[in-house]
Amino acid sequence: MPSRWPRPPRRSIEPAISTPIGAIPEAVRDGETGLLVPPRDVPALTGALERLMRDAALRERMGQAAHAYAQASFGIDRMLDGMERVFACVVEARR
């Protein structure tokens, strides 16, 4: 759902339609995992909604890509790897 304020996208396997506000472009890759529209651009939002509503194959393709990208970029394994690196740096710095 488009927003004028940054907030994390909902967790789903459906493609997102959002605005490129804050970190949203890191989570929604325009044309690959969802569609980005300019803030307050009703015709662009309408077009994006119509595009996804009319094209089931596109919704499916983007949804699968969104799920894969979310798991690879923001999944628990990625988060734990990052935390492990931080902890290792802290331990090393204290030596």
Side-chain angles (χ1 to χ4, degrees), residues 48-59:
L49 287 167
E50 287 176 346
R51 182 176 173 198
L52 289 179
M53 286 172 49
R54 292 181 180 167
D55 192 338
L58 178 63
R59 282 194 316 272

Side-chain angles (χ1 to χ4, degrees):
M1 173 161 253
S3 175
R4 289 184 279 167
W5 310 108
R7 64 180 163 194
R10 294 179 321 155
R11 187 175 174 177
S12 80
I13 58 169
E14 297 176 357
I17 299 175
S18 189
T19 53
I21 302 294
I24 295 297
E26 294 176 35
V28 179
R29 293 179 151 184
D30 192 29
E32 183 182 336
T33 63
L35 301 172
L36 295 175
V37 298
R40 300 179 189 225
D41 188 337
V42 174
L45 176 59
T46 301
L49 287 167
E50 287 176 346
R51 182 176 173 198
L52 289 179
M53 286 172 49
R54 292 181 180 167
D55 192 338
L58 178 63
R59 282 194 316 272
E60 180 69 23
R61 190 169 53 252
M62 283 187 170
Q64 289 178 359
H67 182 72
Y69 179 68
Q71 289 301 308
S73 301
F74 310 108
I76 188 76
D77 291 335
R78 175 83 182 245
M79 180 187 69
L80 292 175
D81 289 345
M83 289 175 66
E84 186 176 346
R85 283 191 301 276
V86 169
F87 294 149
C89 287
V90 170
V91 168
E92 187 62 32
R94 290 183 172 244
R95 290 184 181 178

